[in-house]
Amino acid sequence: MSATAILVFAKAPRPGVVKTRLAPLLGAEGAAALHARLVERTLATVRAGFFRHIDLHGAPGIDDPFFRFCATHYSAALVAQTDGDLGARMLAAFKSALVRHPRVLLVGTDCPALTARYLRQADRALRDGSDAVFTPCEDGGYALIGLNRVDARLFEGIEWGGNQVMAQTRARLTALGWRWRELETLWDVDRPEDYDRLLASGLLDDHRATV
């Protein structure tokens, strides 16, 4: 069991709030149901990675029955996300977790191509001396960030949701003088074409992909 903690950032699966770009294809209820499946897949993958500590950071708040089910079923501690933009919320989460754990990985739930083996590679990068590790995404963002130290400059002033997130982050890492590693670039599920790719990949139903 790795001493590295994993934080999973997730939204409650509320119709009309999550996966809104997929609603024209799947309907609001269908898009929310897909989101819930992606959250559960992420938690199953994390659990399969043999990490000792998993925090499920829920938004908005942690009172949703879905979060309570996930916390029980996947042995995760429930934590409410703080206020602010994504950068502020990730910064707060890392600051809190790194007080208690030597290394921390943080993932979202939109990247079904993340596997347990991939998570262990990220963990190994931190254990081998990198200050940070990332999973770049094809859309210009990242699906995973791992740190063994934290600095607010890594998160402030980033254009979250844009196609320059990873590029801006690289510039911050260079300015900080940190050593970092980037793993294989993966893809998110956000748009109708991503859903078609998801169906073709078989990832959502292939439990072996969590290995």
Side-chain angles (χ1 to χ4, degrees), residues 14 56-68 77-81:
R14 298 179 180 176
L56 175 56
H57 286 246
I62 55 175
D63 293 331
D64 193 282
F66 176 73
F67 286 148
R68 294 197 294 271
L78 272 180
V79 182
Q81 293 185 33

Side-chain angles (χ1 to χ4, degrees), residues 108-167:
T109 60
D110 293 336
C111 185
L114 276 175
T115 64
R117 182 177 300 157
Y118 193 104
L119 293 174
R120 290 192 291 268
Q121 290 176 359
D123 182 26
R124 190 176 305 115
L126 293 179
R127 289 189 281 111
D128 288 348
S130 295
D131 297 306
V133 61
F134 293 87
T135 298
C137 284
E138 293 176 359
D139 62 5
Y142 55 78
L144 174 151
I145 172 175
L147 302 175
N148 58 29
R149 58 197 293 195
V150 66
D151 191 298
R153 288 171 288 180
L154 200 59
F155 302 102
E156 294 173 347
I158 301 292
E159 297 172 18
W160 303 108
N163 61 7
Q164 294 298 308
V165 171
M166 193 66 235

Side-chain angles (χ1 to χ4, degrees), residues 8-162:
V8 178
F9 265 40
K11 295 179 181 179
R14 298 179 180 176
V17 177
V18 296
K19 291 284 177 267
T20 54
R21 283 182 284 182
L22 285 172
L25 177 68
L26 302 176
E29 296 282 350
L34 174 64
H35 174 78
R37 292 181 70 186
L38 290 171
V39 172
E40 287 205 61
R41 177 185 168 78
T42 302
L43 289 167
T45 299
V46 169
R47 177 54 55 194
F50 297 106
F51 291 91
R52 186 174 301 147
H53 190 92
I54 303 171
D55 281 347
L56 175 56
H57 286 246
I62 55 175
D63 293 331
D64 193 282
F66 176 73
F67 286 148
R68 294 197 294 271
F69 163 80
C70 286
T72 300
H73 191 73
Y74 298 101
S75 301
L78 272 180
V79 182
Q81 293 185 33
T82 60
D83 295 330
D85 67 8
L86 178 59
R89 288 181 277 131
M90 289 198 294
L91 175 61
F94 272 113
K95 281 184 174 180
S96 176
L98 283 169
V99 171
R100 298 172 283 118
H101 307 282
R103 298 169 300 275
V104 177
L105 301 176
L106 187 153
V107 298
T109 60
D110 293 336
C111 185
L114 276 175
T115 64
R117 182 177 300 157
Y118 193 104
L119 293 174
R120 290 192 291 268
Q121 290 176 359
D123 182 26
R124 190 176 305 115
L126 293 179
R127 289 189 281 111
D128 288 348
S130 295
D131 297 306
V133 61
F134 293 87
T135 298
C137 284
E138 293 176 359
D139 62 5
Y142 55 78
L144 174 151
I145 172 175
L147 302 175
N148 58 29
R149 58 197 293 195
V150 66
D151 191 298
R153 288 171 288 180
L154 200 59
F155 302 102
E156 294 173 347
I158 301 292
E159 297 172 18
W160 303 108

